[in-house]
Short mmCIF file of all heavy atoms in Angstrom, two decimals:
data_model
loop_
_atom_site.label_atom_id
_atom_site.label_comp_id
_atom_site.label_asym_id
_atom_site.label_seq_id
_atom_site.Cartn_x
_atom_site.Cartn_y
_atom_site.Cartn_z
N TRP A 73 -2.45 11.23 21.94
CA TRP A 73 -2.50 10.25 23.11
C TRP A 73 -1.35 9.28 23.02
O TRP A 73 -1.10 8.72 21.92
CB TRP A 73 -3.81 9.58 23.15
CG TRP A 73 -3.89 8.65 24.32
CD1 TRP A 73 -3.85 7.27 24.34
CD2 TRP A 73 -4.22 9.04 25.66
NE1 TRP A 73 -3.97 6.83 25.64
CE2 TRP A 73 -4.29 7.78 26.40
CE3 TRP A 73 -4.42 10.30 26.30
CZ2 TRP A 73 -4.53 7.85 27.84
CZ3 TRP A 73 -4.77 10.30 27.66
CH2 TRP A 73 -4.79 9.16 28.38
N PRO A 96 -6.96 -4.06 24.62
CA PRO A 96 -6.41 -3.29 25.62
C PRO A 96 -6.41 -4.03 27.07
O PRO A 96 -5.99 -3.53 28.03
CB PRO A 96 -7.35 -2.11 25.74
CG PRO A 96 -8.60 -2.56 25.31
CD PRO A 96 -8.31 -3.62 24.33
N PHE A 97 -6.91 -5.30 27.04
CA PHE A 97 -7.09 -5.99 28.30
C PHE A 97 -6.27 -7.40 28.27
O PHE A 97 -6.36 -8.04 27.25
CB PHE A 97 -8.54 -6.20 28.58
CG PHE A 97 -9.37 -4.96 28.61
CD1 PHE A 97 -10.37 -4.87 27.65
CD2 PHE A 97 -9.17 -4.02 29.37
CE1 PHE A 97 -11.12 -3.75 27.57
CE2 PHE A 97 -9.92 -2.83 29.37
CZ PHE A 97 -10.89 -2.74 28.48
N HIS A 132 -5.95 0.80 16.91
CA HIS A 132 -6.90 0.24 17.93
C HIS A 132 -6.28 0.53 19.29
O HIS A 132 -7.07 0.93 20.16
CB HIS A 132 -7.07 -1.26 17.71
CG HIS A 132 -7.97 -1.58 16.49
ND1 HIS A 132 -9.08 -0.92 16.17
CD2 HIS A 132 -7.92 -2.63 15.68
CE1 HIS A 132 -9.63 -1.39 15.18
NE2 HIS A 132 -8.94 -2.46 14.79
N ILE A 133 -5.01 0.17 19.45
CA ILE A 133 -4.48 0.26 20.86
C ILE A 133 -4.55 1.77 21.39
O ILE A 133 -5.10 1.98 22.40
CB ILE A 133 -2.96 -0.14 20.87
CG1 ILE A 133 -2.91 -1.63 20.57
CG2 ILE A 133 -2.34 0.22 22.13
CD1 ILE A 133 -3.52 -2.58 21.65
N VAL A 134 -4.16 2.65 20.55
CA VAL A 134 -4.19 4.11 20.99
C VAL A 134 -5.56 4.59 21.10
O VAL A 134 -5.92 5.31 22.06
CB VAL A 134 -3.38 4.97 20.02
CG1 VAL A 134 -3.34 6.41 20.43
CG2 VAL A 134 -1.86 4.53 19.98
N HIS A 135 -6.38 4.27 20.12
CA HIS A 135 -7.86 4.72 20.18
C HIS A 135 -8.58 4.23 21.41
O HIS A 135 -9.21 4.97 22.16
CB HIS A 135 -8.46 4.28 18.87
CG HIS A 135 -10.00 4.54 18.82
ND1 HIS A 135 -10.91 3.69 18.26
CD2 HIS A 135 -10.73 5.57 19.36
CE1 HIS A 135 -12.10 4.20 18.37
NE2 HIS A 135 -12.02 5.34 19.03
N LEU A 136 -8.47 2.93 21.65
CA LEU A 136 -9.15 2.33 22.78
C LEU A 136 -8.60 2.68 24.16
O LEU A 136 -9.30 2.61 25.18
CB LEU A 136 -9.19 0.82 22.63
CG LEU A 136 -9.90 0.23 21.36
CD1 LEU A 136 -9.88 -1.23 21.34
CD2 LEU A 136 -11.29 0.75 21.25
N ASP A 137 -7.27 3.01 24.19
CA ASP A 137 -6.62 3.33 25.47
C ASP A 137 -6.86 4.78 25.96
O ASP A 137 -6.87 5.09 27.08
CB ASP A 137 -5.09 3.11 25.25
CG ASP A 137 -4.40 3.26 26.63
OD1 ASP A 137 -4.16 2.24 27.25
OD2 ASP A 137 -3.88 4.43 26.83
N LYS A 138 -7.26 5.57 24.89
CA LYS A 138 -7.50 7.06 25.25
C LYS A 138 -8.58 7.31 26.18
O LYS A 138 -9.69 6.73 25.99
CB LYS A 138 -7.65 7.79 23.98
CG LYS A 138 -7.70 9.34 24.11
CD LYS A 138 -7.72 10.15 22.84
CE LYS A 138 -7.72 11.50 23.12
NZ LYS A 138 -7.67 12.35 21.86
N ALA A 139 -8.40 8.15 27.21
CA ALA A 139 -9.40 8.49 28.22
C ALA A 139 -8.98 9.81 28.87
O ALA A 139 -7.86 10.13 29.02
CB ALA A 139 -9.50 7.34 29.22
N HIS A 140 -10.08 10.53 29.25
CA HIS A 140 -9.84 11.91 29.93
C HIS A 140 -10.90 11.99 31.07
O HIS A 140 -11.80 11.27 31.15
CB HIS A 140 -9.96 13.03 28.95
CG HIS A 140 -8.94 13.07 27.88
ND1 HIS A 140 -7.67 13.47 28.20
CD2 HIS A 140 -8.99 12.90 26.61
CE1 HIS A 140 -6.92 13.39 27.10
NE2 HIS A 140 -7.71 13.09 26.14
N ASP A 141 -10.71 12.97 31.94
CA ASP A 141 -11.57 13.37 33.02
C ASP A 141 -11.94 12.14 33.89
O ASP A 141 -11.07 11.46 34.29
CB ASP A 141 -12.92 14.04 32.35
CG ASP A 141 -12.49 15.34 31.70
OD1 ASP A 141 -11.49 15.90 31.97
OD2 ASP A 141 -13.34 15.81 30.90
N PHE A 142 -13.25 11.89 34.12
CA PHE A 142 -13.63 10.78 35.02
C PHE A 142 -13.05 9.46 34.64
O PHE A 142 -12.47 8.80 35.57
CB PHE A 142 -15.14 10.84 35.09
CG PHE A 142 -15.61 9.59 36.03
CD1 PHE A 142 -15.42 9.62 37.40
CD2 PHE A 142 -16.06 8.47 35.42
CE1 PHE A 142 -15.91 8.60 38.13
CE2 PHE A 142 -16.55 7.43 36.15
CZ PHE A 142 -16.45 7.51 37.56
N PRO A 143 -13.20 9.00 33.46
CA PRO A 143 -12.63 7.68 33.07
C PRO A 143 -11.16 7.56 33.31
O PRO A 143 -10.61 6.64 33.82
CB PRO A 143 -13.01 7.52 31.53
CG PRO A 143 -14.15 8.38 31.33
CD PRO A 143 -14.02 9.58 32.19
N TYR A 144 -10.41 8.75 33.05
CA TYR A 144 -8.95 8.69 33.25
C TYR A 144 -8.61 8.63 34.68
O TYR A 144 -7.84 7.82 35.09
CB TYR A 144 -8.44 10.02 32.57
CG TYR A 144 -6.93 10.20 32.81
CD1 TYR A 144 -6.03 9.44 32.14
CD2 TYR A 144 -6.56 11.11 33.78
CE1 TYR A 144 -4.62 9.70 32.41
CE2 TYR A 144 -5.12 11.31 33.95
CZ TYR A 144 -4.23 10.59 33.28
OH TYR A 144 -2.91 10.81 33.52
N HIS A 145 -9.28 9.44 35.50
CA HIS A 145 -8.99 9.39 36.95
C HIS A 145 -9.44 8.15 37.63
O HIS A 145 -8.80 7.60 38.54
CB HIS A 145 -9.64 10.67 37.69
CG HIS A 145 -9.10 11.93 37.11
ND1 HIS A 145 -7.70 12.29 37.30
CD2 HIS A 145 -9.64 12.95 36.44
CE1 HIS A 145 -7.46 13.52 36.80
NE2 HIS A 145 -8.62 13.90 36.23
N ALA A 146 -10.57 7.58 37.18
CA ALA A 146 -11.08 6.33 37.72
C ALA A 146 -10.04 5.22 37.48
O ALA A 146 -9.78 4.32 38.24
CB ALA A 146 -12.44 5.97 37.27
N ARG A 147 -9.50 5.36 36.27
CA ARG A 147 -8.45 4.26 35.84
C ARG A 147 -7.27 4.29 36.72
O ARG A 147 -6.59 3.32 36.97
CB ARG A 147 -8.17 4.45 34.39
CG ARG A 147 -7.45 3.18 33.76
CD ARG A 147 -6.99 3.45 32.43
NE ARG A 147 -8.01 3.90 31.43
CZ ARG A 147 -7.70 4.19 30.22
NH1 ARG A 147 -6.40 4.10 29.75
NH2 ARG A 147 -8.67 4.55 29.39
N GLY A 151 -7.32 0.90 38.08
CA GLY A 151 -6.52 0.16 37.08
C GLY A 151 -7.31 -0.02 35.71
O GLY A 151 -8.22 0.75 35.43
N ARG A 152 -6.97 -0.95 35.06
CA ARG A 152 -7.44 -1.16 33.63
C ARG A 152 -8.81 -1.95 33.66
O ARG A 152 -9.04 -3.07 33.12
CB ARG A 152 -6.51 -1.96 32.76
CG ARG A 152 -5.12 -1.30 32.69
CD ARG A 152 -4.22 -2.09 31.74
NE ARG A 152 -4.57 -1.89 30.40
CZ ARG A 152 -4.34 -0.89 29.59
NH1 ARG A 152 -3.62 0.11 30.03
NH2 ARG A 152 -4.78 -0.89 28.38
N PHE A 153 -9.79 -1.26 34.34
CA PHE A 153 -11.16 -1.81 34.38
C PHE A 153 -11.90 -1.44 33.13
O PHE A 153 -11.92 -0.23 32.80
CB PHE A 153 -11.96 -1.32 35.63
CG PHE A 153 -13.17 -2.04 35.95
CD1 PHE A 153 -13.16 -3.38 36.44
CD2 PHE A 153 -14.41 -1.44 35.66
CE1 PHE A 153 -14.33 -4.03 36.75
CE2 PHE A 153 -15.64 -2.13 35.98
CZ PHE A 153 -15.50 -3.39 36.55
N PRO A 154 -12.59 -2.27 32.41
CA PRO A 154 -13.16 -1.95 31.11
C PRO A 154 -14.12 -0.79 31.19
O PRO A 154 -14.22 -0.12 30.12
CB PRO A 154 -13.87 -3.34 30.76
CG PRO A 154 -13.07 -4.34 31.40
CD PRO A 154 -12.67 -3.73 32.75
N LEU A 155 -14.87 -0.57 32.19
CA LEU A 155 -15.81 0.46 32.21
C LEU A 155 -15.08 1.82 32.08
O LEU A 155 -15.77 2.80 31.58
CB LEU A 155 -16.57 0.50 33.48
CG LEU A 155 -17.76 1.37 33.68
CD1 LEU A 155 -18.84 1.15 32.61
CD2 LEU A 155 -18.38 1.35 35.10
N PHE A 156 -13.82 1.93 32.29
CA PHE A 156 -13.23 3.25 32.26
C PHE A 156 -12.41 3.34 30.89
O PHE A 156 -11.38 4.16 30.90
CB PHE A 156 -12.30 3.39 33.49
CG PHE A 156 -13.10 3.16 34.73
CD1 PHE A 156 -12.57 2.35 35.73
CD2 PHE A 156 -14.28 3.83 34.97
CE1 PHE A 156 -13.32 2.18 36.95
CE2 PHE A 156 -15.05 3.64 36.10
CZ PHE A 156 -14.60 2.77 37.05
N PHE A 157 -12.64 2.60 29.96
CA PHE A 157 -12.16 2.64 28.60
C PHE A 157 -13.30 3.14 27.73
O PHE A 157 -13.91 2.22 27.02
CB PHE A 157 -11.49 1.40 28.17
CG PHE A 157 -10.24 1.13 28.76
CD1 PHE A 157 -10.15 0.69 30.11
CD2 PHE A 157 -9.05 1.14 28.12
CE1 PHE A 157 -8.98 0.39 30.72
CE2 PHE A 157 -7.80 0.92 28.72
CZ PHE A 157 -7.76 0.55 30.04
N PRO A 158 -13.66 4.37 27.67
CA PRO A 158 -14.77 4.82 26.95
C PRO A 158 -14.95 4.32 25.53
O PRO A 158 -15.97 3.95 25.06
CB PRO A 158 -14.76 6.30 26.99
CG PRO A 158 -13.82 6.65 28.09
CD PRO A 158 -12.86 5.52 28.12
N ASN A 159 -13.77 4.29 24.72
CA ASN A 159 -13.85 4.00 23.29
C ASN A 159 -14.16 2.59 23.02
O ASN A 159 -14.52 2.23 21.79
CB ASN A 159 -12.63 4.47 22.64
CG ASN A 159 -12.47 6.02 22.56
OD1 ASN A 159 -13.33 6.63 21.87
ND2 ASN A 159 -11.53 6.68 23.18
N ILE A 160 -14.09 1.62 23.98
CA ILE A 160 -14.41 0.25 23.66
C ILE A 160 -15.91 0.16 23.48
O ILE A 160 -16.36 -0.90 22.99
CB ILE A 160 -13.89 -0.73 24.80
CG1 ILE A 160 -14.74 -0.50 26.10
CG2 ILE A 160 -12.40 -0.53 25.03
CD1 ILE A 160 -14.52 -1.70 27.08
N PHE A 161 -16.73 1.13 23.84
CA PHE A 161 -18.14 1.06 23.74
C PHE A 161 -18.63 1.70 22.40
O PHE A 161 -19.79 1.83 22.15
CB PHE A 161 -18.82 1.73 24.91
CG PHE A 161 -18.54 1.04 26.21
CD1 PHE A 161 -17.61 1.70 27.12
CD2 PHE A 161 -19.14 -0.07 26.51
CE1 PHE A 161 -17.25 0.98 28.33
CE2 PHE A 161 -18.88 -0.74 27.75
CZ PHE A 161 -17.91 -0.17 28.64
N SER A 162 -17.69 2.10 21.56
CA SER A 162 -18.04 2.56 20.22
C SER A 162 -18.55 1.37 19.37
O SER A 162 -18.14 0.25 19.64
CB SER A 162 -16.80 3.22 19.52
OG SER A 162 -16.38 4.28 20.20
N PRO A 163 -19.38 1.64 18.45
CA PRO A 163 -19.83 0.55 17.48
C PRO A 163 -18.52 0.05 16.79
O PRO A 163 -17.65 0.74 16.57
CB PRO A 163 -20.81 1.21 16.50
CG PRO A 163 -21.20 2.47 17.26
CD PRO A 163 -20.09 2.89 18.18
N ARG A 164 -18.64 -1.20 16.38
CA ARG A 164 -17.56 -1.90 15.71
C ARG A 164 -17.16 -1.19 14.47
O ARG A 164 -15.94 -1.09 14.10
CB ARG A 164 -17.78 -3.32 15.43
CG ARG A 164 -16.67 -4.19 14.96
CD ARG A 164 -16.86 -5.65 15.02
NE ARG A 164 -15.85 -6.40 14.42
CZ ARG A 164 -15.80 -6.92 13.23
NH1 ARG A 164 -16.91 -6.78 12.43
NH2 ARG A 164 -14.82 -7.59 12.71
N ILE A 166 -17.11 1.91 13.91
CA ILE A 166 -16.33 3.07 14.09
C ILE A 166 -14.89 2.70 14.48
O ILE A 166 -13.97 3.28 13.97
CB ILE A 166 -16.98 3.98 15.29
CG1 ILE A 166 -18.21 4.66 14.79
CG2 ILE A 166 -15.96 4.92 15.79
CD1 ILE A 166 -18.87 5.51 15.74
N THR A 167 -14.68 1.70 15.34
CA THR A 167 -13.35 1.36 15.70
C THR A 167 -12.64 0.74 14.44
O THR A 167 -11.43 1.07 14.27
CB THR A 167 -13.36 0.27 16.89
OG1 THR A 167 -14.20 -0.84 16.56
CG2 THR A 167 -13.91 0.93 18.12
N TYR A 244 -14.30 14.33 17.55
CA TYR A 244 -15.28 13.30 17.89
C TYR A 244 -14.59 12.18 18.90
O TYR A 244 -15.14 11.87 19.94
CB TYR A 244 -15.83 12.54 16.76
CG TYR A 244 -16.60 11.29 17.04
CD1 TYR A 244 -17.93 11.41 17.30
CD2 TYR A 244 -16.00 10.09 17.12
CE1 TYR A 244 -18.76 10.27 17.67
CE2 TYR A 244 -16.72 8.97 17.36
CZ TYR A 244 -18.04 9.10 17.72
OH TYR A 244 -18.87 7.93 17.99
N VAL A 245 -13.44 11.76 18.53
CA VAL A 245 -12.71 10.82 19.37
C VAL A 245 -12.35 11.33 20.71
O VAL A 245 -12.53 10.75 21.77
CB VAL A 245 -11.50 10.30 18.63
CG1 VAL A 245 -10.66 9.37 19.64
CG2 VAL A 245 -11.88 9.58 17.39
N ASP A 246 -11.94 12.68 20.70
CA ASP A 246 -11.70 13.33 21.95
C ASP A 246 -12.74 13.49 22.91
O ASP A 246 -12.68 13.22 24.15
CB ASP A 246 -11.06 14.69 21.66
CG ASP A 246 -10.15 15.26 22.80
OD1 ASP A 246 -9.23 14.51 23.25
OD2 ASP A 246 -10.47 16.34 23.20
N ARG A 247 -13.90 13.91 22.35
CA ARG A 247 -15.18 14.03 23.17
C ARG A 247 -15.63 12.67 23.70
O ARG A 247 -16.03 12.58 24.81
CB ARG A 247 -16.30 14.66 22.36
CG ARG A 247 -16.02 16.16 22.05
CD ARG A 247 -17.18 16.69 21.15
NE ARG A 247 -16.87 18.03 20.80
CZ ARG A 247 -17.35 19.06 21.48
NH1 ARG A 247 -17.86 18.96 22.71
NH2 ARG A 247 -16.98 20.36 21.09
N TYR A 248 -15.51 11.60 22.83
CA TYR A 248 -15.98 10.27 23.33
C TYR A 248 -15.06 9.82 24.52
O TYR A 248 -15.57 9.06 25.38
CB TYR A 248 -15.96 9.34 22.16
CG TYR A 248 -16.88 8.18 22.36
CD1 TYR A 248 -18.11 8.18 21.64
CD2 TYR A 248 -16.62 7.06 23.11
CE1 TYR A 248 -19.02 7.24 21.75
CE2 TYR A 248 -17.55 6.05 23.24
CZ TYR A 248 -18.72 6.03 22.58
OH TYR A 248 -19.58 5.05 22.73
N SER A 249 -13.82 10.21 24.35
CA SER A 249 -12.80 9.68 25.41
C SER A 249 -13.04 10.39 26.71
O SER A 249 -12.51 9.98 27.75
CB SER A 249 -11.44 10.01 24.88
OG SER A 249 -11.12 9.38 23.73
N HIS A 250 -13.81 11.53 26.80
CA HIS A 250 -14.08 12.32 27.99
C HIS A 250 -15.40 11.78 28.61
O HIS A 250 -15.57 11.91 29.79
CB HIS A 250 -14.25 13.77 27.70
CG HIS A 250 -12.99 14.57 27.54
ND1 HIS A 250 -12.29 14.48 26.35
CD2 HIS A 250 -12.33 15.36 28.35
CE1 HIS A 250 -11.25 15.22 26.48
NE2 HIS A 250 -11.25 15.79 27.68
N PHE A 251 -16.29 11.26 27.79
CA PHE A 251 -17.61 10.99 28.25
C PHE A 251 -17.76 9.89 29.26
O PHE A 251 -17.20 8.77 29.07
CB PHE A 251 -18.56 10.70 27.06
CG PHE A 251 -19.98 11.18 27.28
CD1 PHE A 251 -20.18 12.56 27.23
CD2 PHE A 251 -20.99 10.34 27.49
CE1 PHE A 251 -21.51 13.04 27.37
CE2 PHE A 251 -22.26 10.81 27.64
CZ PHE A 251 -22.53 12.13 27.59
N PRO A 252 -18.36 10.11 30.39
CA PRO A 252 -18.36 9.10 31.46
C PRO A 252 -19.35 7.92 31.29
O PRO A 252 -19.21 6.89 31.88
CB PRO A 252 -18.75 9.88 32.75
CG PRO A 252 -19.64 10.98 32.21
CD PRO A 252 -19.02 11.41 30.82
N LEU A 253 -20.31 8.10 30.34
CA LEU A 253 -21.32 7.00 30.11
C LEU A 253 -21.06 6.44 28.68
O LEU A 253 -20.89 7.15 27.76
CB LEU A 253 -22.64 7.58 30.23
CG LEU A 253 -23.06 8.23 31.63
CD1 LEU A 253 -24.38 8.78 31.64
CD2 LEU A 253 -22.99 7.08 32.73
N PRO A 254 -21.29 5.18 28.57
CA PRO A 254 -21.06 4.51 27.22
C PRO A 254 -22.29 4.68 26.31
O PRO A 254 -23.37 4.99 26.76
CB PRO A 254 -20.85 3.02 27.58
CG PRO A 254 -21.56 2.81 28.88
CD PRO A 254 -21.46 4.11 29.63
N PHE A 255 -22.00 4.42 25.10
CA PHE A 255 -23.09 4.33 24.02
C PHE A 255 -23.78 5.67 23.53
O PHE A 255 -24.65 5.61 22.74
CB PHE A 255 -24.17 3.38 24.44
CG PHE A 255 -23.70 2.05 24.92
CD1 PHE A 255 -23.94 1.57 26.13
CD2 PHE A 255 -22.86 1.29 24.01
CE1 PHE A 255 -23.46 0.34 26.55
CE2 PHE A 255 -22.28 0.04 24.48
CZ PHE A 255 -22.63 -0.39 25.73
N PHE A 256 -23.36 6.83 24.07
CA PHE A 256 -23.95 8.08 23.76
C PHE A 256 -23.39 8.59 22.45
O PHE A 256 -22.86 9.73 22.36
CB PHE A 256 -23.82 9.11 24.87
CG PHE A 256 -24.80 8.94 26.03
CD1 PHE A 256 -24.74 7.85 26.91
CD2 PHE A 256 -25.98 9.80 26.15
CE1 PHE A 256 -25.68 7.64 27.89
CE2 PHE A 256 -26.84 9.68 27.10
CZ PHE A 256 -26.67 8.54 28.10
N ILE A 257 -23.54 7.88 21.43
CA ILE A 257 -22.89 8.19 20.09
C ILE A 257 -23.58 9.47 19.53
O ILE A 257 -22.92 10.42 19.05
CB ILE A 257 -23.06 7.05 19.16
CG1 ILE A 257 -22.33 5.73 19.82
CG2 ILE A 257 -22.38 7.39 17.81
CD1 ILE A 257 -22.67 4.55 19.00
N ILE A 260 -22.48 12.65 21.31
CA ILE A 260 -21.16 13.09 20.98
C ILE A 260 -21.10 13.63 19.56
O ILE A 260 -20.41 14.57 19.28
CB ILE A 260 -20.18 11.86 21.13
CG1 ILE A 260 -20.27 11.28 22.64
CG2 ILE A 260 -18.81 12.24 20.92
CD1 ILE A 260 -19.92 12.34 23.70
#
Side-chain angles (χ1 to χ4, degrees):
W73 183 257
F97 309 116
H132 284 323
I133 292 297
V134 179
H135 175 214
L136 300 180
D137 189 86
K138 184 173 182 176
H140 294 290
D141 294 342
F142 174 75
Y144 174 75
H145 294 296
R147 199 190 299 178
R152 303 183 68 82
F153 191 73
L155 186 62
F156 307 129
F157 285 73
N159 287 298
I160 70 168
F161 298 102
S162 296
R164 186 166 177 258
I166 286 182
T167 56
Y244 171 85
V245 174
D246 199 56
R247 290 177 183 274
Y248 208 99
S249 303
H250 283 77
F251 212 70
L253 299 174
F255 309 123
F256 279 73
I257 303 167
I260 303 302

